């Protein structure tokens, strides 16, 4: 797995739209954050474009992202926001130069398309806050992004909830948004999870949707040989008038327990205010005890 070069003061980070639209005035908090770390910022041509929900046409978003990948002066690409649209451009991108000279691709939610696609090129990416979420993100989450970009040691210790499946494992961390992982099944962007630790999170889904998506992942072998499961925010889940009968913890536990792997719930990452940076593709030590959950990046 290639780890892109860590940043240093004076480096330039690009902000682009791969999905929903985002405007220059909305980028000001993210620009101020990057500059407080000694970094320079380049706004992509898609920032400010308005194509219905999207930040420009598919062609405009492809061209903008491609330019930032091919520009040697750009050391990281920060996707402005999620929503929907990244899958529409992924097959139009040429990663030839990127694979030889990788740089950090940063974001979460819909950016899982890029995380998964790039993971299959054996390049690490960064699951973290985005410019859109900077104004409502907790300070600790911003600091974890800085640490990840500058190559500082990352170790998370969070209290156990009491319904985890205890154990420990070491492996490569992969994953992202559950709905996106589900949508990529059968495509060349679908990931191999064998001997790895899978991270999932989601937002605004019905409980039976969660069950359906997880069973599809199971039937596609995502749990075969898996070493551990990190469940992040399962935010704003819904139920039907006739209850499904299990909440998200029950659904996930019923599937994961047969694999004898450690499983934690509500880890601070995903569509939550405390959305801590995760280096996807990096090797992590994952341990769950009676008292705490530890995720340490090697």
């Amino acid at each position: 797995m290639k780890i892109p070069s860590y940043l240093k003061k004076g480096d330039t980070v690009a902000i682009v739209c791969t999905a929903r639209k985002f405007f220059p005035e909305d980028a000001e908090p993210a620009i101020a954050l990057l500059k407080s770390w000694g970094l320079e910022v380049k706004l992509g041509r898609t920032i400010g474009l308005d194509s219905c929900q999207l930040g420009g046409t598919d062609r405009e978003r492809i061209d903008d992202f491609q330019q930032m990948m091919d520009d040697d002066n750009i050391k990281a690409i920060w996707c402005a926001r999620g929503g929907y649209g990244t899958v529409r451009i992924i097959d139009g991108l040429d990663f030839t130069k990127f694979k030889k000279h990788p740089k950090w691709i940063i974001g979460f939610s819909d950016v899982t398309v890029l995380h998964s696609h790039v993971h299959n090129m054996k390049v690490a990416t960064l699951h973290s806050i985005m410019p859109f979420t900077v104004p409502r993100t907790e300070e600790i989450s911003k600091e974890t992004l800085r640490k990840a970009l500058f190559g500082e040691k990352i170790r998370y210790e969070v209290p156990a909830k009491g319904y985890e499946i205890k154990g420990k494992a070491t492996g490569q961390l992969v994953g992202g948004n559950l709905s996106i992982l589900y949508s990529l099944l059968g495509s060349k962007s679908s990931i191999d999870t064998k001997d790895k630790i899978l991270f999932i999170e989601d937002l605004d889904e019905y409980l039976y949707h969660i069950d359906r998506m997880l069973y599809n992942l199971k039937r596609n072998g995502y749990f075969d040989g898996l070493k551990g499961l990190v469940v992040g925010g399962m935010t704003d889940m819904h139920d039907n008038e006739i209850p499904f009968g299990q909440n998200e913890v029950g659904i996930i536990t019923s599937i994961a327990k047969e694999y004898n792997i450690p499983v934690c719930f509500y880890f601070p990452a995903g569509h939550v205010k405390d959305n801590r940076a995760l280096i996807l593709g990096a090797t992590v030590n994952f341990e769950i005890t009676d008292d705490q959950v530890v995720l340490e990046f090697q």
Side-chain angles (χ1 to χ4, degrees), residues 233-251:
M234 286 286 167
T235 309
D236 296 335
M237 297 289 108
H238 309 290
D239 207 348
N240 300 98
E241 185 175 343
I242 300 174
F244 182 71
Q246 290 177 305
N247 64 7
E248 57 272 20
V249 173
I251 292 168

Side-chain angles (χ1 to χ4, degrees), residues 82-83 107-113 115 127 130 176-177 180 201 203 271:
F108 75 107
S109 193
D110 194 58
V111 183
T112 299
V113 174
H115 291 312
H127 183 283
M130 295 185 288
N177 180 263
I180 300 299
E201 63 84 30
L203 167 75
H271 289 81

Side-chain angles (χ1 to χ4, degrees), residues 169-174 196-199 226-228 230 284 286:
T170 297
Q172 201 177 79
L173 185 66
V174 298
K196 298 175 184 177
I197 294 170
L198 178 64
F199 165 75
L226 190 68
K227 287 191 169 182
V230 180
V284 297
F286 178 43

Side-chain angles (χ1 to χ4, degrees), residues 125-157:
T125 58
L126 190 49
H127 183 283
S128 84
I129 63 172
M130 295 185 288
F132 177 72
T133 62
V134 165
R136 58 178 183 273
T137 297
E138 294 187 4
E139 290 301 318
I140 189 172
S141 302
K142 299 174 188 177
E143 176 62 8
T144 64
L145 173 58
R146 187 197 65 78
K147 284 186 174 183
L149 285 174
F150 284 87
E152 297 181 17
K153 181 71 174 176
I154 297 177
R155 175 185 168 93
Y156 298 131
E157 297 181 6

